[in-house]
Amino acid sequence: MAGHSKWSTIKRKKGALDAKRSKMFSKFSKEITIAVKEGGGHDPDYNSRLRIAIQNAKGVNMPKDNIERAIKRGDQDDTNFQEVSFEGYGSHGIAIFVECLTDNNNRTVSSVRAAFNKFNGTLGTNGSLSFLFDRKGVFDFAKPEDKDFDEIQMELIDAGAEEIEVEDGNVNVVCSIEDFGNMNKKLEELNIEVESAELQRIPNDTKTLSVEEAKSVLKLIDVLEDDDDVQNVFHNMEMTDEIIEAME
């Protein structure tokens, strides 16, 4: 869990600070569009998937105009996206799970395979890594300063929180996939503004590498995340303090 939480924090900080912001806008625009098409209309009050997608977009400071354009595309655009995933190993035996939304499966397969090949990785068959990851609901938000946090924690535990971590004023809550909806509803009831609410694949166990070994894995992850068809990349590499410092 420690490695996962640190990686979430790194991605949040990077998303707010560096050139990957445009990639994150693209990711959430696509998710908003899909939510309108498949989730039941463009009113977030009646479309929970859209409500969460908008919430996540706001969490990375996506402009209101961008959000509204993405909603309109869901009403007007005939592009059909499909969800596909890829499983494989990066260098040094690190397991990597890639989730995509694509309108051209051949293009996506080709680019993901090329990325793995370039950085000495190997693609496996779907399901080959399922035993290494658990799918969980993960919520991130700033620790409320005007509320009793002990009471908040009790409410979240009642709603299904399995883990609650606080670091540098940020709160990370993990729940089962079955409790994802309940947790999101509970946070809304508590008037807590969530920065991100996502279903993530959390490794059952992590693998520790040296800084030099980790760099090659991180290069593969960066290339995958830069691909327009890729929505999420998960891995089981332990994000040690030394690796984090080398990234800064």
Side-chain angles (χ1 to χ4, degrees), residues 5 31 77 107 123 143 150 184 209:
S5 297
E31 178 57 34
D77 195 339
R107 178 190 67 221
L123 273 179
K143 183 180 178 182
D150 287 338
N184 199 61
L209 302 183

Side-chain angles (χ1 to χ4, degrees), residues 177-188:
I177 188 172
E178 291 81 10
D179 286 323
F180 183 80
N182 290 336
M183 185 61 63
N184 199 61
K185 185 177 179 181
K186 174 58 67 175
L187 288 164
E188 288 178 358

